[in-house]
């Protein structure tokens, strides 16, 4: 099995910064894309940022220029540096990874979610 464990959420004032981390562990053969999604109350889950195994990032328009996604392939960890946070960024943030296990089965895995709250 594969587990994704997130950390780094919390409460911050508008204009502040937070850094989220997500570490994957378990029966991992390889990890393709990793990414961060978020879901605000009453809203659908949306992609915030994703990154390929080669390090190519993509971002939602709403976070471009403010958020930076990166990954450490040795540690199987993905990060999301969030700067200039706005109240509209308030949501539960979920880590996602497309993992090929040692049994050569490829699936999407999700973290448990971490709350990010931005006060005005």
């Amino acid at each position: 099995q594969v587990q994704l464990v997130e950390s780094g959420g919390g409460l911050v004032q508008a204009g502040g910064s937070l850094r989220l981390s997500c570490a994957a562990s378990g029966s991992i053969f390889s990890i393709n894309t990793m990414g961060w999604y978020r879901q605000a109350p009453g809203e659908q889950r949306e992609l915030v940022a994703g990154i390929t195994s080669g390090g190519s990032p993509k971002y939602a328009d709403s976070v471009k220029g403010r958020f930076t996604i990166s990954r450490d392939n040795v540690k199987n960890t993905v990060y999301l540096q969030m700067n200039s946070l706005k109240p509209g960024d308030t949501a539960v943030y979920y880590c996602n990874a497309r993992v090929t296990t040692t049994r050569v089965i490829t699936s999407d895995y999700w973290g448990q979610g971490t709350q990010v709250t931005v006060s005005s």
Side-chain angles (χ1 to χ4, degrees), residues 75-87:
K75 296 181 179 179
N76 288 335
T77 300
V78 63
Y79 306 96
L80 186 68
Q81 178 66 44
M82 305 185 292
N83 298 329
S84 302
L85 282 160
K86 305 175 181 179

Side-chain angles (χ1 to χ4, degrees), residues 34-37 47-51 58-60 63 67-69 80:
M34 302 184 82
W36 291 94
Y37 290 71
L47 174 68
V48 176
I51 187 167
K58 64 177 179 180
Y59 298 97
V63 306
F67 291 10
T68 302
I69 189 170
L80 186 68

Side-chain angles (χ1 to χ4, degrees), residues 2-6 21-36 51 53 70-79 95-100:
V2 175
Q3 300 81 37
L4 301 182
V5 178
E6 301 148 345
S21 300
C22 171
S25 63
S27 304
I28 298 170
F29 176 73
S30 65
I31 302 178
N32 190 346
T33 56
M34 302 184 82
W36 291 94
I51 187 167
S53 57
S70 60
R71 64 188 283 175
D72 184 327
N73 290 332
V74 174
K75 296 181 179 179
N76 288 335
T77 300
V78 63
Y79 306 96
C95 173
N96 170 270
R98 178 155 293 179
V99 178
T100 298

